Amino acid sequence: MNIKAVIFDLDGVIVSTDQYHYKAWKELADKENIPFDETINNRLRGVSRMESLEIILKNADRSYNDKEKFELTEYKNDIYRKSLEDLSKEDILPGFWDAYHHCRDKDILMAVGSSSKNTKKILKAIDLDDAFDAVADGTDIENSKPDPEVFWTAAARLGVDSKFCLVVEDAVSGIEAAKNGGMVAVAIGDATSSDKADHTIKHLRELIKLL
Ligand code: B16
Ligand code: MG
């Protein structure tokens, strides 16, 4: 493969804050008496905050207006951001540094492509705020995964054509976004259930074999 850039998804690939998302959404759902469990939570991976809320509200027994929806996303985000205070570089997932150093050795550029509007806060908390050649996140885009916008933004910032980019994703919606964007898609974790990925890996270190 002639790969010139690797675009890492953040949550679920570099660091795992999915349990923090789950706890915050669960608190909101309980407050509103809406059924919510880990299975529904899995559908929120890679999905924007407002779209996540819309998925949760499908199980509500009343409708919510735009003001209420905005307030609910703020409520959830406040809880989520408080839990990020415990995050440190010890939380970087195993194998990340092996993949990172391998890319540097081979002059492969690296970016983050995340749906999260908290990306910069998370990267700072885990000491990776200066580690990448580009970052594209939820604050840069109008359309979230499976739309390829976040990955195209990352590729444009790197100055690399999509067909030379490889995306690592833990979300099915993220694999679809990478393929919709004409990139090589590597699935890890929950995304390994997708039949659209070009490769599946169990551990980030396995990325080395693909580069
Ligand atoms: P925020 P990723 C995604 O991050 C999460 O997987 C998803 O659960 C979350 O709803 C989304 O970010 C938005 O996050 O509320 O912080 O803007 O996997 O794309 O790095
Ligand atoms: Mg993710």
Side-chain angles (χ1 to χ4, degrees), residues 9-12 21 25 44-49 52 76-77 80 113-118 145 169-170:
D9 172 53
L10 179 61
D11 184 32
H21 280 294
W25 285 127
L44 311 182
R45 284 177 195 277
V47 175
S48 75
R49 198 179 307 162
S52 298
K76 181 266 174 176
N77 196 44
Y80 175 67
S114 169
S115 302
S116 176
K117 292 184 174 170
N118 291 299
K145 302 165 187 176
E169 258 291 349
D170 75 310

Side-chain angles (χ1 to χ4, degrees), residues 105-118:
D105 288 347
K106 296 199 77 175
D107 288 329
I108 294 169
L109 294 172
M110 284 176 283
V112 170
S114 169
S115 302
S116 176
K117 292 184 174 170
N118 291 299

Side-chain angles (χ1 to χ4, degrees), residues 21-110:
H21 280 294
Y22 173 70
K23 280 186 193 144
W25 285 127
K26 178 76 180 142
E27 209 171 310
L28 176 145
D30 288 351
K31 176 173 89 71
E32 298 296 313
N33 281 316
I34 302 168
F36 182 67
D37 58 21
E38 301 241 14
T39 310
I40 302 171
N41 189 59
N42 268 339
R43 291 173 46 210
L44 311 182
R45 284 177 195 277
V47 175
S48 75
R49 198 179 307 162
M50 187 54 86
E51 284 169 286
S52 298
L53 178 70
E54 297 284 4
I55 291 170
I56 292 167
L57 292 184
K58 280 192 184 134
N59 291 316
D61 53 17
R62 72 169 179 95
S63 60
Y64 290 77
N65 64 34
D66 287 349
K67 182 168 172 286
E68 288 174 311
K69 287 179 188 172
F70 175 75
E71 283 165 3
L72 287 177
T73 57
E74 291 287 290
Y75 176 87
K76 181 266 174 176
N77 196 44
D78 283 348
I79 301 169
Y80 175 67
R81 283 176 70 93
K82 274 198 195 87
S83 55
L84 293 180
E85 283 165 18
D86 297 332
L87 213 57
S88 77
K89 61 182 178 187
E90 311 301 321
D91 293 300
I92 294 171
L93 290 171
F96 169 76
W97 285 115
D98 302 292
Y100 183 91
H101 292 305
H102 182 80
C103 289
R104 281 282 174 255
D105 288 347
K106 296 199 77 175
D107 288 329
I108 294 169
L109 294 172
M110 284 176 283

Side-chain angles (χ1 to χ4, degrees), residues 123-154:
L123 289 177
K124 198 167 172 33
I126 58 176
D127 246 0
L128 290 184
D129 40 345
D130 288 325
F132 294 93
D133 304 299
V135 174
D137 66 30
T139 64
D140 296 309
I141 55 167
E142 303 220 330
N143 308 296
S144 80
K145 302 165 187 176
D147 190 286
E149 188 178 358
V150 76
F151 295 140
W152 277 344
T153 304

